[in-house]
Amino acid sequence: MTRCHIMLVQSPIDVLDYGYIRFYSLSKILEIDDRGFFSERNNVMGVDYDVTMGYMRKTSYIVVEKNLDFHTFWSLVAAFPHFTRVIMISFSPKKRLFDEVRLARLIMARTGRYVAVVSIYDPVWGEVLNKTPFKRLLTNDGTIKPGIGEAYILGTLITNWMSNSYIGYLDGNNLLSGTAYEYAMAFLSIFNTMKTFNHIMVRIKRSTKGWLANNHKSLRKVAKVSQIINDLVNTAISKHKGEYVDFIQTADTIDMGMTLEMAEKLPWVGGRCPGLFHLVYILERCWLDKKRWVRCPFAWLRAYITQVEAITPHALYDIDDKELFARLVECLGIIYHSKIADSDIKEKILSILKKYGYEEDEPPRPVVYPPTISVDPIKIMDEFEDKSEDCFIPF
């Protein structure tokens, strides 16, 4: 039987089982658009052309953005597959938010596609979350703390409220908006291929190849931070496993996709490193503590974690050294205060931080929030949507 795929992804060449987790080695995208090839092939994953629309209608993409210029905002939304829902979590000030909502309305009028805009600073969040376990997200003035992890929690609540089955999380800090399509279709390809599993996580490895890797200073710095974090996680796994492992290539990713059933069972961390926290949490609860199976939320049905390397570089807007260093400190703090880090790993983390000028005795402990399954998202979102004057969540 011949098949036509919209995207073609190489099947993983290796698989490792850690307790209740199945990790897949890094896969490469073979073709972004494969619709011209109709021959049968082995060892590939993709979205069949005849089922794509069904998956798209069940998927929401959460995009974190701040003060994007209007061309980039438009092109980022336009890059997503048409039948998916795009939810922009905005860190922009209120005056800018007003223009972003106007632009979202214009996009919907011109294209018919779905796009929502929600401000992380909307004061109504304080009212609806103050009565829940998520009141820890709030600052003293009643607004949400401006972190990527906090924004992803809001996006998960919105997706659950919309009754979608799949969710993708993406960083909107991107000059090359077409990567949104590439990431989105990679998620759908894995969801389709592994549709018999309940708990699926897709983690994107951003490409640093091409001319941007030689000329774009910010990109090179981010790649260096990613390499530091990947090396530490692989070293920690190797020590527990008793053999060398270089399997994890997406430890610090913030571009990831999940089944909603998995996303709502995971706790979250505040700040800049939600993807790393999820990886460390799953390793702790579902591997190192595998004998205490009740601590792993995926023990009965297992968790399946895949990694996909993108083709197009993720070109960032300028990111200053202070912001990048803060992210490194947060990420290393997650590893440092976890069970996967022994004394040698902790000493190595402190050595790295001191090398970059960190003066504290140890990195800060992460701020951990409960999973969204601990609350009623329908009740929260009904109240939020009814009271908010700033959000744009079309029906």
Side-chain angles (χ1 to χ4, degrees):
M1 176 181 176
T2 60
R3 289 210 174 157
C4 173
H5 298 104
I6 289 186
M7 174 176 277
L8 201 65
V9 181
Q10 175 192 16
S11 294
I13 60 174
D14 200 3
V15 177
L16 291 182
D17 288 326
Y18 293 129
Y20 303 108
I21 322 164
R22 173 159 289 183
F23 274 108
Y24 295 87
S25 61
L26 189 67
S27 297
K28 294 184 179 295
I29 294 174
L30 301 178
E31 282 193 297
I32 293 177
D33 192 320
D34 185 59
R35 280 176 284 190
F37 195 97
F38 286 88
S39 179
E40 186 69 24
R41 286 165 296 187
N42 298 319
N43 301 319
V44 294
M45 299 182 290
V47 186
D48 294 349
Y49 185 70
D50 56 343
V51 301
T52 303
M53 190 180 301
Y55 277 92
M56 289 179 180
R57 292 187 185 278
K58 295 185 290 184
T59 304
S60 290
Y61 290 106
I62 312 304
V63 183
V64 177
E65 64 87 17
K66 180 180 181 179
N67 294 332
L68 285 183
D69 67 85
F70 295 141
H71 172 75
T72 304
F73 187 102
W74 183 297
S75 57
L76 182 64
V77 173
F80 284 98
H82 178 82
F83 290 105
T84 59
R85 289 174 171 172
V86 180
I87 302 162
M88 309 293 283
I89 307 293
S90 176
F91 285 60
S92 304
K94 188 166 184 176
K95 183 177 180 181
R96 183 78 174 189
L97 175 73
F98 178 75
D99 291 331
E100 290 173 353
V101 170
R102 289 179 63 195
L103 184 56
R105 291 180 181 276
L106 179 60
I107 292 171
M108 287 194 65
R110 292 282 182 87
T111 67
R113 68 154 308 117
Y114 186 96
V115 54
V117 180
V118 177
S119 173
I120 199 167
Y121 300 116
D122 194 320
V124 178
W125 284 122
E127 294 183 41
V128 300
L129 295 182
N130 195 44
K131 299 169 284 188
T132 75
F134 287 111
K135 63 183 179 182
R136 293 184 62 203
L137 272 72
L138 305 178
T139 61
N140 292 334
D141 65 0
T143 59
I144 301 290
K145 297 173 184 176
I148 296 174
E150 286 85 354
Y152 283 178
I153 290 172
L154 303 184
T156 307
L157 291 172
I158 296 170
T159 299
N160 197 321
W161 179 62
M162 291 179 171
S163 299
N164 282 4
S165 303
Y166 304 97
I167 185 168
Y169 305 92
L170 289 95
D171 179 15
N173 180 4
N174 190 358
L175 289 164
L176 303 179
S177 305
T179 56
Y181 177 79
E182 188 178 341
Y183 294 178
M185 294 309 299
F187 295 155
L188 293 176
S189 296
I190 303 300
F191 294 151
N192 176 57
T193 303
M194 305 179 72
K195 55 180 171 281
T196 57
F197 303 132
N198 295 66
H199 306 124
I200 307 167
M201 176 184 287
V202 190
R203 303 170 66 90
I204 295 292
K205 179 181 180 181
R206 294 178 177 179
S207 172
T208 56
K209 297 178 175 62
W211 64 270
L212 282 170
N214 296 321
N215 299 313
H216 199 289
K217 188 177 180 181
S218 296
L219 189 64
R220 296 203 308 276
K221 289 180 179 179
V222 172
K224 177 64 176 176
V225 169
S226 296
Q227 191 59 55
I228 290 171
I229 297 168
N230 283 330
D231 288 347
L232 281 168
V233 172
N234 282 309
T235 300
I237 292 174
S238 299
K239 292 173 74 67
H240 287 288
K241 193 170 176 60
E243 61 184 38
Y244 176 72
V245 172
D246 187 23
F247 208 74
I248 305 300
Q249 300 295 315
T250 58
D252 73 324
T253 187
I254 54 177
D255 303 305
M256 53 189 180
M258 285 183 263
T259 55
L260 183 63
E261 186 172 347
M262 183 171 190
E264 67 179 2
K265 293 178 182 176
L266 284 169
W268 292 84
V269 70
R272 303 168 176 86
C273 310
L276 173 63
F277 175 76
H278 283 159
L279 179 64
V280 170
Y281 172 85
I282 292 171
L283 286 170
E284 283 184 350
R285 293 294 188 95
C286 303
W287 178 40
L288 299 185
D289 285 350
K290 66 180 179 181
K291 292 183 179 179
R292 302 170 65 187
W293 61 270
V294 293
R295 288 173 55 80
C296 174
F298 316 113
W300 288 107
L301 299 172
R302 305 184 74 176
Y304 298 84
I305 300 178
T306 63
Q307 306 175 92
V308 178
E309 182 176 8
I311 294 174
T312 308
H314 190 117
L316 303 169
Y317 282 84
D318 286 337
I319 179 170
D320 60 39
D321 291 348
K322 183 178 180 181
E323 171 66 20
L324 196 56
F325 181 62
R327 183 167 184 267
L328 177 64
V329 171
E330 282 189 23
C331 287
L332 295 190
I334 290 172
I335 301 172
Y336 185 92
H337 294 288
S338 71
K339 291 183 179 179
I340 72 169
D342 61 9
S343 58
D344 290 339
I345 297 294
K346 290 184 177 182
E347 185 177 338
K348 188 172 183 179
I349 288 173
L350 293 177
S351 176
I352 292 170
L353 290 176
K354 288 178 181 178
K355 174 183 175 183
Y356 288 101
Y358 191 70
E359 298 178 353
E360 302 295 329
D361 293 335
E362 61 180 27
R365 287 185 175 273
V367 177
V368 179
Y369 304 116
T372 57
I373 202 172
S374 64
V375 298
D376 183 351
I378 307 301
K379 181 179 179 181
I380 289 173
M381 288 306 306
D382 279 348
E383 184 178 354
F384 174 77
E385 196 275 334
D386 181 59
K387 292 182 177 180
S388 176
E389 297 179 358
D390 298 331
C391 75
F392 175 61
I393 308 179
F395 287 96

